[in-house]
Amino acid sequence: MRTPSSTYRLQLHAQLGFAGAASTVAYLDRLGITDAYVSPVLEAAPGSTHGYDVVDHSRIAPELGGESALIELATQLRDRGMGLLVDVVPNHMSITSGRNGWWNDVLENGPSSPYARYFDIDWNPPKSELKAKVLLPILGDQFGRVLERRELQLRYEGERFVVACGGTELPVAPRTWPHVLEPMLRDLRHELGDADSAVLELESILTSLAHLPRRTETDRARVRERMREKEIAKQRFARLFDNPAAARALGRAVAEINGVDGDPSSVDRLEALLSDQGYRPSFWRVASDEINYRRFFDINELAAIRIEEPAVFRAVHAVPLRLVGLGLVTGLRIDHVDGLLAPRQYLTDLRQVLDLATSTPANPRPDAGCSIVVEKILDLGERLPPGWPVDGTTGYEIAAWLTRVMVTVAGLAAIEETYQAFTNNRASLPDVVYESKVLVLETAMSAELTVLARKLDDISEQHRTSRDFTLNSLQAALLQLIACFPVYRTYIDVHDVSISESDRSHIEAAVTEAKRRNPATSGSIFEFVRGLLLLEHPAGLDEIQLAARRDFVLRFQQLTSPVMAKGYEDTAQYRHVPLLALNDVGSHPSAATVDELHGHLARRAVESPRAMSTTATHDTKRGEDIRARLCVLSELPSEWHQALVRLALLTRAHRTSHRAPAANDEYLLLQTLLGAWPPGMQAPDTEFVARIQAYMIKALREAKLHTSWIDPNEAYERDIAQFIATVLDPIGGAEFLAELAALRVKIERPGFFNALSQVVLKIGIPGVPDFYQGTELWDLSLVDPDNRRPVDFPRRAQMLDELCQAAELDTPGLIDRLRTSLEDGRIKMLVTARCLAVRRVRRELFVRGAYRPVTATGTARDQVIAFERSHEGARVIVACGRHFTALAAAPDDPVGRCWGDTTIMVGDGRVRDAVTGRSLTAGRDGTLALTEVFAHLPVAMLEVQP
């Protein structure tokens, strides 16, 4: 099986399609990348900037260049011995552009659609008016207002009737066409007479439509009849328009049903037509309470698909499997695996079909096996469930570890005290997470909670010991258990005879915490749900009852994950912000010791050496080098405290009548400015101001305290934007900017060195280093869409060529020159390329090699992270610095002499530092002085000479 030596993420869209990606291949190859890693390649909603809104799983995206362009990209990679990792989206599809054929068929045919089981739709929801219908929360206002404003309009195009609603076209079921065709028939009779052939044909069509099986019909033979006869009726109707009179009559009938301005009663017939459809257009705010299709998180535009259905599985993977079989795709990244009903079964099935695809004679690759990595957030100490046939995760846990190890324990505690004093926010993070999850369950995802509670209510009626629990009490208990759930989800397979200890402990922890937070609630109801989740069923249940219980467990597991994501990542992390470096996807709000990091990496070397190691993705909330810079604040907590007080005094005059920004928002803004300030920028330019304004509006809406996505507080947002513009004004905000700069210069240079340590560690540790597009230079981007701005690849290619040429002449001298101009980021590119070159040459050592901590001794030993990778006699030692402001000898330039008497153990013989190209000789005791190792940079990758 092919294991990448390194991957490089490319975000594909219309401006960077397959051809644009192909133009980067030579550059990526020279940088040291072995595998391109691309966002989804299938047809997505028009104008998609990310590809996760797939509309057609059978077609490679035309907007990206289509299949021929993708094959050319893959061929170019293969010709260089490089691989292609492709993102697969098995969770959901986009449903709002009118391009999703499966969804359109469901809207037209309801439960009788052959695609009805492709989506997770409750056809019998509590609201009787929605029986056999799909609620469509697509309107910008109340339905009646939208209808009377004539923003819903009937059209006939492409042999079908549709109702146009903004950019969405909703199909009109043929069985309901008589709403239009009967007035048309009367008009046509009046003009042509009863005996005219067009009149007779239209009468016949109406008769055939009346005999179509209803949309609630699910008998296979009757469904086939419906699908066949409605298409024949459509074709017959289209042929009527050979007669101009028929076209005129239809035009008059459509105009009449669409109504006239100023007359509400004129749209009554259009309302009647819509009422007969298999869907119900509604105000988008209705979704949180009444939506009856499962969504991706709380996004109405993304409907969840049932990948556990064999037909759906085959359809979703048909194109990726074909590309794998041709040797064009070498790896798959599975998006949001926690959203699946049965992840282990899905991955097992996927591994089986991939193995079949890669064993075909058509695959020309010698390493034909296809790798699988899963997007999965692992909590601190959590591991992937055993038995998953994957190479590992996409590596968010590594980003967390490499940030935490750069934070000091004492400094973080002091910063938390400063945060509490400044914001008067004494709530602990667990409390904030709990409150945020409760909010999500009560608002954005209340419909999902209601559906699950109804299932639980039905189950409670199965046995005398639980039948007295009411629906309201069960729903309240469910809310509490989910809000208290300590991880994203469990992975109980309802057909297994046992439950893993980790899953059991997570459920027990949730029950214990829910009881603690709800002392007035009878513990018996929590115990009832606990037993259900742990598959402890009472005796005497029949198979139907047991099936309902198993289904509940699966659905419960599916719900805890999006609630955690929305509650923790997208709410709490914007509410509780002591140190923003620790507020990111997969992060943990604590500092880590070097020994703890070694322990994690030693386990990783054994358990998942082929997992990805990432420090930035399209989903991270801030760039990897923002985090590296902000970690330095933990080394200077008193300076941060003093600067914060002075900055707040300077901004007091700029507060508005709405008291914006609130203290928490101002704290968030100030750290964001420190972290995201572009190197070398003296005064803020208009682009930077606009970026910060856009980021803060998004951050505040995510926090949901003073404004939100559902109910934007435009006055508060306007005041925030004005506040930012004022304090960043070079004249009006001069004192503020000077104070901010005074602190920034203290953390910027140590932040650069943190970032270099981060990239060298990522390349050297167990796992496959992954680079997000553009991050080979400084990455000071903010949350999307800021981190999806265009990348100037020609500039980077030219820069790399110049660096490589200069390094051939004098690498140490080049590094010394680059160290005096860290702002341009070239030092990061050079270090990245030189370390990746070692990894590519010594691929087996880094993929299969053992991991061993390397001892540092001396006064600065706590500022060193060092380890050895070894395989079949080959050895590479990685050494990096951290906590650079603690190196008091030269805090502004932590290289060379400031490491004092500190040494690392490398063993006998000579080593070559891949970063600088220098050869070094260990002392008789097998040690190397860090004054020598770090003479030019505080990072090193030492190849031990045989």
mmCIF file of all heavy atoms in Angstrom, residues 17 219 283 343 356 366 506 636 663 681 688 780 850 938:
data_model
loop_
_atom_site.group_PDB
_atom_site.id
_atom_site.type_symbol
_atom_site.label_atom_id
_atom_site.label_comp_id
_atom_site.label_asym_id
_atom_site.label_seq_id
_atom_site.Cartn_x
_atom_site.Cartn_y
_atom_site.Cartn_z
ATOM 1 N N GLY A 17 -8.959 25.169 -10.593
ATOM 2 C CA GLY A 17 -9.483 23.878 -10.993
ATOM 3 C C GLY A 17 -8.373 22.869 -11.182
ATOM 4 O O GLY A 17 -7.235 23.050 -10.715
ATOM 5 N N ASP A 219 -45.486 0.290 -3.160
ATOM 6 C CA ASP A 219 -45.398 -1.006 -3.815
ATOM 7 C C ASP A 219 -44.534 -0.868 -5.073
ATOM 8 O O ASP A 219 -44.728 0.040 -5.883
ATOM 9 C CB ASP A 219 -46.799 -1.498 -4.192
ATOM 10 C CG ASP A 219 -46.746 -2.808 -4.963
ATOM 11 O OD1 ASP A 219 -46.569 -3.857 -4.328
ATOM 12 O OD2 ASP A 219 -46.888 -2.743 -6.206
ATOM 13 N N PHE A 283 -40.678 29.368 5.925
ATOM 14 C CA PHE A 283 -39.710 30.333 6.423
ATOM 15 C C PHE A 283 -38.516 29.573 6.996
ATOM 16 O O PHE A 283 -38.677 28.584 7.715
ATOM 17 C CB PHE A 283 -40.384 31.168 7.504
ATOM 18 C CG PHE A 283 -39.609 32.362 7.985
ATOM 19 C CD1 PHE A 283 -38.571 32.918 7.257
ATOM 20 C CD2 PHE A 283 -39.943 32.954 9.200
ATOM 21 C CE1 PHE A 283 -37.879 34.028 7.715
ATOM 22 C CE2 PHE A 283 -39.259 34.058 9.676
ATOM 23 C CZ PHE A 283 -38.231 34.604 8.925
ATOM 24 N N PRO A 343 -19.975 3.852 11.492
ATOM 25 C CA PRO A 343 -18.677 4.127 10.880
ATOM 26 C C PRO A 343 -17.836 2.896 10.621
ATOM 27 O O PRO A 343 -17.219 2.761 9.558
ATOM 28 C CB PRO A 343 -17.993 5.053 11.893
ATOM 29 C CG PRO A 343 -19.120 5.706 12.618
ATOM 30 C CD PRO A 343 -20.194 4.665 12.701
ATOM 31 N N LEU A 356 -10.524 -4.512 -3.884
ATOM 32 C CA LEU A 356 -10.902 -5.078 -5.178
ATOM 33 C C LEU A 356 -10.492 -4.148 -6.309
ATOM 34 O O LEU A 356 -9.990 -4.586 -7.358
ATOM 35 C CB LEU A 356 -12.410 -5.331 -5.226
ATOM 36 C CG LEU A 356 -12.931 -6.488 -4.374
ATOM 37 C CD1 LEU A 356 -14.456 -6.513 -4.395
ATOM 38 C CD2 LEU A 356 -12.364 -7.820 -4.880
ATOM 39 N N PRO A 366 2.875 0.192 -8.838
ATOM 40 C CA PRO A 366 3.425 -0.931 -8.064
ATOM 41 C C PRO A 366 2.912 -0.924 -6.626
ATOM 42 O O PRO A 366 2.782 -1.973 -6.003
ATOM 43 C CB PRO A 366 4.939 -0.691 -8.113
ATOM 44 C CG PRO A 366 5.085 0.777 -8.390
ATOM 45 C CD PRO A 366 3.914 1.152 -9.248
ATOM 46 N N HIS A 506 -17.591 6.634 28.660
ATOM 47 C CA HIS A 506 -18.134 7.913 28.196
ATOM 48 C C HIS A 506 -19.617 8.026 28.540
ATOM 49 O O HIS A 506 -20.096 9.096 28.950
ATOM 50 C CB HIS A 506 -17.927 8.069 26.689
ATOM 51 C CG HIS A 506 -16.487 8.133 26.273
ATOM 52 N ND1 HIS A 506 -15.537 8.766 27.033
ATOM 53 C CD2 HIS A 506 -15.836 7.647 25.170
ATOM 54 C CE1 HIS A 506 -14.357 8.663 26.430
ATOM 55 N NE2 HIS A 506 -14.522 8.000 25.305
ATOM 56 N N LEU A 636 4.904 35.487 28.668
ATOM 57 C CA LEU A 636 4.933 36.887 29.094
ATOM 58 C C LEU A 636 3.568 37.289 29.666
ATOM 59 O O LEU A 636 2.963 38.265 29.224
ATOM 60 C CB LEU A 636 5.286 37.791 27.904
ATOM 61 C CG LEU A 636 6.594 37.498 27.169
ATOM 62 C CD1 LEU A 636 6.660 38.281 25.870
ATOM 63 C CD2 LEU A 636 7.788 37.808 28.056
ATOM 64 N N ALA A 663 -16.618 43.363 26.883
ATOM 65 C CA ALA A 663 -15.250 43.056 27.324
ATOM 66 C C ALA A 663 -14.718 41.783 26.687
ATOM 67 O O ALA A 663 -13.561 41.717 26.250
ATOM 68 C CB ALA A 663 -15.214 42.953 28.844
ATOM 69 N N MET A 681 4.273 44.858 8.330
ATOM 70 C CA MET A 681 3.278 45.907 8.104
ATOM 71 C C MET A 681 3.379 46.940 9.225
ATOM 72 O O MET A 681 3.200 46.624 10.393
ATOM 73 C CB MET A 681 1.868 45.314 8.050
ATOM 74 C CG MET A 681 0.799 46.349 7.686
ATOM 75 S SD MET A 681 -0.885 45.649 7.596
ATOM 76 C CE MET A 681 -1.254 45.475 9.352
ATOM 77 N N PHE A 688 -6.404 44.677 5.537
ATOM 78 C CA PHE A 688 -6.291 44.094 6.874
ATOM 79 C C PHE A 688 -7.484 44.503 7.742
ATOM 80 O O PHE A 688 -8.063 43.679 8.456
ATOM 81 C CB PHE A 688 -4.983 44.525 7.527
ATOM 82 C CG PHE A 688 -4.778 43.952 8.909
ATOM 83 C CD1 PHE A 688 -4.519 42.601 9.082
ATOM 84 C CD2 PHE A 688 -4.851 44.767 10.038
ATOM 85 C CE1 PHE A 688 -4.334 42.064 10.348
ATOM 86 C CE2 PHE A 688 -4.662 44.240 11.302
ATOM 87 C CZ PHE A 688 -4.401 42.889 11.460
ATOM 88 N N LEU A 780 -0.784 33.404 8.569
ATOM 89 C CA LEU A 780 -1.453 34.273 9.535
ATOM 90 C C LEU A 780 -2.891 34.529 9.096
ATOM 91 O O LEU A 780 -3.438 35.610 9.287
ATOM 92 C CB LEU A 780 -0.688 35.591 9.672
ATOM 93 C CG LEU A 780 0.764 35.440 10.166
ATOM 94 C CD1 LEU A 780 1.480 36.775 10.159
ATOM 95 C CD2 LEU A 780 0.798 34.827 11.558
ATOM 96 N N ALA A 850 11.131 3.476 14.493
ATOM 97 C CA ALA A 850 10.825 3.598 15.922
ATOM 98 C C ALA A 850 10.963 5.045 16.356
ATOM 99 O O ALA A 850 11.614 5.863 15.690
ATOM 100 C CB ALA A 850 11.762 2.705 16.723
ATOM 101 N N PRO A 938 17.305 27.568 15.793
ATOM 102 C CA PRO A 938 17.002 26.669 16.914
ATOM 103 C C PRO A 938 16.179 25.459 16.504
ATOM 104 O O PRO A 938 15.288 25.020 17.231
ATOM 105 C CB PRO A 938 16.220 27.581 17.869
ATOM 106 C CG PRO A 938 15.524 28.530 16.958
ATOM 107 C CD PRO A 938 16.468 28.783 15.817
#
